[in-house]
Amino acid sequence: MHESRPEEEVTSLHDLSAVDLIAGYKARQFSPSEVLEDVIAHIEQWEPHIEALYAFDPDGARKVAKASTDRWNNGEPTGVLDGVPVTIKDNIATKGTPVPLGAASVPLVPAERDAPPAARLREAGAIIFSKTTMPDYGMLSSGLSSFHPLTRNPWNLGKNPGGSSSGAGAAGAAGYGPLHLGTDIGGSVRLPACWCGLVALKPSLGRIPIDPPYVGRVAGPMTRTVDDAALMMSVLSKPDRRDGMSLPAHDINWKALDKSPRKLRLGLMLDASAGQALEKPVRDVAVNAAKAFEAAGAVVTEVNGILSREMLDGIDDFFRVRLWGDLAKLPEKERAKTLPYILQWAERGAKVSGVEAINGFNQTMAIRAAAARLFCELDYVISPVSPVVNFPAEFAAPLHDPAKPFEHIGYTVPWNMSENPAISVNGGYDQHGFPIGVQIVGRRFDDIGVLAMAKAFEGLRGPQRPWPSPPTK
């Protein structure tokens, strides 16, 4: 475990929030070029230890930062994120950069254009200085990959950052600037946020247009503060016709985060009803979060999880078949380059019958129905994000067993399938100072309400520990 910065230390440019950076640019306290150079210098200290980045392009970023600096000097910023450094996950296409999906079996072909989330960030003036790592095909909550080097957790280099937005989680915790963009189909922004001490929103399906779209798949902001996540949402949620599953344009005030918990009906979900058992430090953090809301006037009731063994196993069957359908098309030599854990898991999909695969997919509809019933009586649900505090950096998953790959996503995957917005926000730490996340889930389309509840929790939870510092040796 690394020593943290003294609290009295002056905040460095790389540690400033996006909101504070924009305020600093407006006041001409510093420039985008100065901020970028500080971020790059900080990356040079951290990156040999955590290896969170892919396609890092400091020289290209310097040109973008110079243009942004000129715009601010002329009083003509191009958008609400002009000059703010941002990273984007490997699987979100950026023009001219290959999209390996974390897998050595994927051909390296430069992307022809930006995917919708990358396009929106670029239009808003953000400085996209790097992509971030992910595991093979995004099918692990781990920093393990056959293409990228092993990504480690800045809070403890022996621990996993989670995934599949592994590099984004590590980069956010290490202070590689304020804004990071990940994707989530079963917990892939919320789990690394949980284990890295960040805020991460899995929005309602379609709130952020994405390409390619898929069942349960969303892009989401990963930041250190709720305000920064909301700022990203104001940009990312703009429409894009390439996503046929995207929601109609809505005039949402993403700054409207003042919401009192008073009289709100909250469900405390401590048992996912399937998957790994809940570790006591995680349970304690979730209970404390619920008590904080209760003290603020919310009505809290303990509720049962909505996931069943049949649901979790069905989703497992469906996604095995889906990935095996892609891998089976590859020449055997190329397919063999896939991470062995993933290949072993996917190969079992060849033995799943068509009826079993459809039954597996139909579990997504069962989850949707269960979530709808739950939210008939509740405004929000409070739960753990992960059942475990942490796991080794070298593991593919907390259990590290391809026969039981989804045992740790019992609290997260239901909300992808039901399309409800869900956010991870740091709720506390274990006895060794390792962060533990709390999840807040809302009704479908209530993304702003979920952000507002997380903002309220930031004010209720008490002071946070300083962020980890780079190793000195």
Side-chain angles (χ1 to χ4, degrees), residues 268-293:
L268 174 60
M269 184 182 290
L270 295 174
D271 185 353
S273 297
Q276 284 179 261
L278 186 63
E279 294 181 354
K280 186 179 184 303
V282 181
R283 187 185 193 281
D284 290 346
V285 165
V287 169
N288 288 340
K291 287 180 178 179
F293 278 117

Side-chain angles (χ1 to χ4, degrees), residues 39-64:
V39 169
I40 292 172
H42 191 63
I43 288 170
E44 289 174 351
Q45 292 181 284
W46 258 122
E47 187 60 8
H49 306 282
I50 61 173
E51 298 192 287
L53 300 184
Y54 159 62
F56 179 37
D57 182 16
D59 290 336
R62 287 184 172 107
K63 295 176 182 177
V64 177

Side-chain angles (χ1 to χ4, degrees), residues 198-214:
L198 302 176
V199 172
L201 175 67
K202 183 213 76 70
S204 301
L205 186 74
R207 179 67 70 201
I208 297 176
I210 195 168
D211 184 28
Y214 198 74

Side-chain angles (χ1 to χ4, degrees), residues 383-394:
S383 81
V385 182
S386 157
V388 302
V389 175
N390 55 44
F391 63 106
E394 295 80 10

Side-chain angles (χ1 to χ4, degrees), residues 150-198:
L150 177 64
T151 302
R152 296 178 179 273
N153 194 313
W155 290 91
N156 184 329
L157 298 181
K159 300 301 181 182
N160 211 294
S164 63
S165 305
S166 49
Y176 290 14
L179 305 182
H180 307 275
L181 182 66
T183 62
D184 190 315
I185 201 170
S188 289
V189 299
R190 288 161 290 158
L191 287 164
C194 168
W195 291 315
C196 293
L198 302 176

Side-chain angles (χ1 to χ4, degrees), residues 50-385:
I50 61 173
E51 298 192 287
L53 300 184
Y54 159 62
F56 179 37
D57 182 16
D59 290 336
R62 287 184 172 107
K63 295 176 182 177
V64 177
K66 174 63 168 60
S68 177
T69 296
D70 291 342
R71 289 193 295 271
W72 279 106
N73 287 339
N74 294 327
E76 299 174 345
T78 192
V80 298
L81 297 180
D82 203 345
V84 179
V86 61
T87 71
I88 295 180
K89 188 177 177 180
D90 160 345
N91 65 342
I92 299 174
T94 53
K95 185 177 180 180
T97 303
V99 184
L101 305 177
S105 53
V106 174
L108 296 180
V109 179
E112 294 184 0
R113 58 180 179 173
D114 286 343
R120 299 295 87 76
L121 291 170
R122 209 183 297 275
E123 291 163 3
I127 302 171
I128 302 172
F129 66 88
S130 186
K131 307 293 288 289
T132 51
T133 62
M134 63 180 284
D136 292 46
Y137 302 99
M139 293 310 301
L140 295 178
S141 188
S142 173
L144 197 60
S145 164
S146 65
F147 178 82
H148 300 297
L150 177 64
T151 302
R152 296 178 179 273
N153 194 313
W155 290 91
N156 184 329
L157 298 181
K159 300 301 181 182
N160 211 294
S164 63
S165 305
S166 49
Y176 290 14
L179 305 182
H180 307 275
L181 182 66
T183 62
D184 190 315
I185 201 170
S188 289
V189 299
R190 288 161 290 158
L191 287 164
C194 168
W195 291 315
C196 293
L198 302 176
V199 172
L201 175 67
K202 183 213 76 70
S204 301
L205 186 74
R207 179 67 70 201
I208 297 176
I210 195 168
D211 184 28
Y214 198 74
V215 175
R217 182 173 185 257
V218 301
M222 301 176 68
T223 62
R224 289 183 170 185
T225 69
V226 174
D227 284 335
D228 274 5
L231 180 61
M232 284 187 81
M233 288 300 296
S234 73
V235 171
L236 295 168
S237 61
K238 293 180 179 179
D240 193 301
R241 291 182 178 177
R242 286 177 283 173
D243 184 355
M245 299 170 71
S246 61
L247 298 174
H250 285 82
D251 187 19
I252 297 173
N253 180 5
W254 294 102
K255 293 182 179 180
L257 299 182
D258 292 331
K259 187 182 186 80
S260 171
R262 183 172 173 77
K263 295 185 178 181
L264 289 176
R265 299 168 300 171
L266 307 186
L268 174 60
M269 184 182 290
L270 295 174
D271 185 353
S273 297
Q276 284 179 261
L278 186 63
E279 294 181 354
K280 186 179 184 303
V282 181
R283 187 185 193 281
D284 290 346
V285 165
V287 169
N288 288 340
K291 287 180 178 179
F293 278 117
E294 193 170 41
V299 179
V300 179
T301 305
E302 192 163 341
V303 297
N304 296 324
I306 63 172
L307 196 67
S308 69
R309 187 74 253 174
E310 183 181 9
M311 290 173 180
L312 192 57
D313 289 345
I315 292 171
D316 185 4
D317 282 343
F318 173 68
F319 278 101
R320 284 179 197 261
V321 172
R322 176 178 177 257
L323 184 55
W324 180 246
D326 292 334
L327 292 178
K329 298 173 185 176
L330 298 176
E332 185 175 350
K333 182 178 180 181
E334 296 304 308
R335 186 166 62 243
K337 295 178 181 178
T338 307
L339 191 74
Y341 181 102
I342 288 291
L343 188 56
Q344 185 178 347
W345 169 73
E347 283 176 334
R348 292 183 59 186
K351 299 179 181 179
V352 176
S353 71
V355 171
E356 289 171 329
I358 290 298
N359 285 341
F361 177 79
N362 284 343
Q363 295 307 314
T364 68
M365 299 297 105
I367 292 172
R368 182 190 294 266
R373 288 193 297 270
L374 180 69
F375 277 95
C376 283
E377 305 297 331
L378 298 173
D379 297 305
Y380 299 95
V381 168
I382 309 299
S383 81
V385 182

